[in-house]
């Protein structure tokens, strides 16, 4: 007979736990959920976890890991214990994210037009032009002057319980389909808890997304297409899922053709004009006539059609200039410059290896820092100093000294933890948070998020490609 589910011996030492406090009392907003799982017991909880895994497979919620030569599709493991966020905490996050995305959008617009922030020497020109700046976008004015239509900032809580932004994702942020499908699975698993807690809904995300896309063109009804690199892309499930949910067309670059600077989609009835493209293809692959000539993922002439205002691209090309991890270090100055406000959601303290003083500190203290490549994602190009070997320290020192601009460093943070099901027990695992922001006529933040969890004990890396999983995120009503 399995023992009852208890939290008396749950380890909270040295970390901020979002459910269990240091004296082993339960946070008020978790109390109802805790009582429910204790009432159901271990056998039922394990059965429900197994059912959730099967549901993910049957729904096709899988992804590819590019570094895995076996080419095996995996599920993003969904842990049944949700991450619950109080209404008060969410109101703070909403306010901070709206401020941040508004300032970043103004920043991108300025960089590709007047460049006032560079002329006023708030940010070094070299930092911008040596990064993800696209000269081809100079002079562009997207509809409603919105560049960052869909974004997902990664947020963590430190040992003090405060929220910090770890990085901004302004190009093609992924994961929202997992947020939506995780919710469907958890609603079926704990229906009575949802009702008692007044969890705010997320299932209308696809409607909000389509409304935002339609607001960018005067044409009604608008023809919307989701541009995917194809079935071998790691996020293909998400591309097809969002297209289906929105009633949009799912297309690859070869399905589109440009004639007289108008974009058309090939159909069995002939060519059909496309008005808005939600593209999940990186800038450099969009148009072989303008960017990479060897790209087979884009469509020749697409960028020129966009420049002439004949099609809307979401997100706008060029947004990568603002989610460069080196530019991230200037976000507090960007907010102050464009909005004349102090930043609400602060950054994690960051050392810019392109600065001589910071470079010296990083090289001398590499064993105690997290090193990140400024143009990498998915947990790649990263070193966690305390968990790395001396040989790895030396290898990264050499990489940094060879190209300092390409690296930043941050202190090792005690990421907050949330109880997670393991083999026969419940243990704390580190988490981060990716809320999703839609920006059309106004800024809308979906009251939910993708919580990524480091499933390996002691690991701080939550990325799915590095063995991480996910949790449903319950935002409680105010």
């Amino acid at each position: 007979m399995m023992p009852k589910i208890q939290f008396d011996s749950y380890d909270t030492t040295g970390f901020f736990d979002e459910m269990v406090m240091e004296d082993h009392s339960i946070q008020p907003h978790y109390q109802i959920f805790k009582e429910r799982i204790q009432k159901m017991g271990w056998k039922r909880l394990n059965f429900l976890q197994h059912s959730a895994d099967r549901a993910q497979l049957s729904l096709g919620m899988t992804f590819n890991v590019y570094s895995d030569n076996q080419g095996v599709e995996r599920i993003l493991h969904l842990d049944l214990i949700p991450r619950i966020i109080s209404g008060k905490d969410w109101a703070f996050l909403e306010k901070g994210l709206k401020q941040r995305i508004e300032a970043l959008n103004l920043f991108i617009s300025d960089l590709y037009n007047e460049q006032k922030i560079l002329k006023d020497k708030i940010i070094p020109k070299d930092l911008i032009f040596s990064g993800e700046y696209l000269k081809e976008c100079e002079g562009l004015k997207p509809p409603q002057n919105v560049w960052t239509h869909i974004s997902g900032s990664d947020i963590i809580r430190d040992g003090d319980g405060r929220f910090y932004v770890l990085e901004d994702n302004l190009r093609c942020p992924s994961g929202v389909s997992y947020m939506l499908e995780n919710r469907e699975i958890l609603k079926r698993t704990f229906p009575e808890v949802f009702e008692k807690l007044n969890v705010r809904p997320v299932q209308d995300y696809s409607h909000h997304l389509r409304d935002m896309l339609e607001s960018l063109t005067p044409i009604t009804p608008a023809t919307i297409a989701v541009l995917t690199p194809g079935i071998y892309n790691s996020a293909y499930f998400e591309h097809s899922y969002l297209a289906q949910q929105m009633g949009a067309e799912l297309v690859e670059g070869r399905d589109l053709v440009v004639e007289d600077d108008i974009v058309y989609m090939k159909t069995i009835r002939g060519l059909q004009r496309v008005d808005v493209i939600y593209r999940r293809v990186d800038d450099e692959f969009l148009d072989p006539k303008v960017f990479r000539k060897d790209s087979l993922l884009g469509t020749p002439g697409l960028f020129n059609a966009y420049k002439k205002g004949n099609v809307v691209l979401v997100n706008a090309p060029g947004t990568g200039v603002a989610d460069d991890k080196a530019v991230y270090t200037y976000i507090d100055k960007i907010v102050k410059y464009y909005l004349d406000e102090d930043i609400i959601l602060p950054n994690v303290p960051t050392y810019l290896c392109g600065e001589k003083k910071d470079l010296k500190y990083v090289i001398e203290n590499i064993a105690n820092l997290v090193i990140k490549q400024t143009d990498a994602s998915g947990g790649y190009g990263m070193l966690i100093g305390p968990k790395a070997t001396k040989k790895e320290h030396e290898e990264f020192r050499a990489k940094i000294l060879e190209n300092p601009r390409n690296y930043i460093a941050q202190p090792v943070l005690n990421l907050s933890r949330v109880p997670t099901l393991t083999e026969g027990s419940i243990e704390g695992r580190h988490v981060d948070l990716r809320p999703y922001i839609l920006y059309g006529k106004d800024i809308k933040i979906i009251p939910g998020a993708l919580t990524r969890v480091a499933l390996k004990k002691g690991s701080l890396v939550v990325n799915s490609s590095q063995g991480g999983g996910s949790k449903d995120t319950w935002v409680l009503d105010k």
Side-chain angles (χ1 to χ4, degrees), residues 210 213-215 217-224 247 272-276:
R210 179 161 187 118
L213 295 173
E214 287 183 329
S215 75
T217 177
I219 300 171
T220 54
T223 299
I224 297 171
Q272 179 182 351
R273 182 169 177 173
V274 177
D275 307 302
V276 183

Side-chain angles (χ1 to χ4, degrees), residues 235-277:
Y236 182 74
F237 163 75
E238 177 158 297
H239 307 163
S240 56
Y241 175 86
L242 290 174
Q244 185 267 330
Q245 290 291 306
M246 286 194 293
E249 304 294 338
L250 182 67
V251 300
E252 296 180 30
R254 61 188 174 181
D255 299 321
L256 302 175
V257 64
V258 178
E259 293 184 0
D260 298 324
D261 296 322
I262 305 289
V263 182
Y264 297 94
M265 174 176 57
K266 301 172 188 174
T267 76
I268 56 172
R269 298 179 204 84
L271 298 180
Q272 179 182 351
R273 182 169 177 173
V274 177
D275 307 302
V276 183
I277 297 175

Side-chain angles (χ1 to χ4, degrees), residues 57-273:
L57 279 171
S58 66
L59 289 166
M61 293 172 64
T62 60
F63 67 96
N64 291 314
V65 178
Y66 294 133
S67 60
D68 185 352
N69 294 326
Q70 297 178 25
V72 178
E73 290 196 340
R74 307 177 187 177
I75 62 168
L76 180 63
H77 176 75
L78 167 62
D79 183 75
L80 277 193
I81 299 179
R83 200 240 196 103
I84 304 178
I85 299 177
S86 69
K88 181 182 176 183
D89 281 341
W90 189 257
F92 170 77
L93 288 173
E94 272 191 325
K95 190 176 179 182
L97 287 168
K98 282 183 177 179
Q99 179 200 56
R100 196 173 183 100
I101 205 64
E102 183 180 354
L104 284 168
N105 191 74
L106 291 169
F107 170 62
I108 297 168
S109 180
D110 182 25
L111 284 183
Y112 288 118
N113 290 278
E114 293 85 4
Q115 298 188 346
K116 291 178 182 177
I117 198 167
L118 302 183
K119 292 169 186 173
D120 289 340
K121 298 182 178 178
I122 305 298
I123 297 180
K125 287 183 180 181
D126 290 348
L127 186 78
I128 298 299
F129 297 133
S130 62
E132 301 297 318
Y133 183 83
L134 280 185
K135 193 170 178 61
E136 294 85 356
C137 292
E138 288 178 355
L140 278 177
K141 290 278 187 182
Q144 300 172 39
N145 204 28
V146 175
W147 296 71
T148 54
H149 309 94
I150 304 162
S151 53
S153 294
D154 291 339
I155 297 172
I156 57 100
R157 297 183 91 162
D158 198 2
D160 56 6
R162 290 184 64 199
F163 290 102
Y164 296 88
V165 174
L166 196 59
E167 62 182 55
D168 298 293
N169 298 288
L170 305 174
R171 282 175 267 200
C172 302
S174 62
V176 74
S177 59
Y178 296 101
M179 174 189 80
L180 298 172
E181 286 298 314
N182 287 353
R183 175 58 54 86
E184 288 304 308
I185 292 171
L186 265 287
K187 275 174 69 178
R188 294 198 295 268
T189 307
F190 301 112
E192 71 287 357
V193 181
F194 266 88
E195 192 173 335
K196 288 181 180 177
L197 281 176
N198 290 323
V199 180
R200 296 177 67 182
V202 297
Q203 64 264 28
D204 53 358
Y205 172 83
S206 300
H207 300 296
H208 291 306
L209 176 59
R210 179 161 187 118
D211 288 347
M212 183 274 289
L213 295 173
E214 287 183 329
S215 75
L216 301 172
T217 177
I219 300 171
T220 54
T223 299
I224 297 171
V226 177
L227 177 60
T228 176
I231 60 172
Y232 298 109
N233 184 265
S234 63
Y236 182 74
F237 163 75
E238 177 158 297
H239 307 163
S240 56
Y241 175 86
L242 290 174
Q244 185 267 330
Q245 290 291 306
M246 286 194 293
E249 304 294 338
L250 182 67
V251 300
E252 296 180 30
R254 61 188 174 181
D255 299 321
L256 302 175
V257 64
V258 178
E259 293 184 0
D260 298 324
D261 296 322
I262 305 289
V263 182
Y264 297 94
M265 174 176 57
K266 301 172 188 174
T267 76
I268 56 172
R269 298 179 204 84
L271 298 180
Q272 179 182 351
R273 182 169 177 173

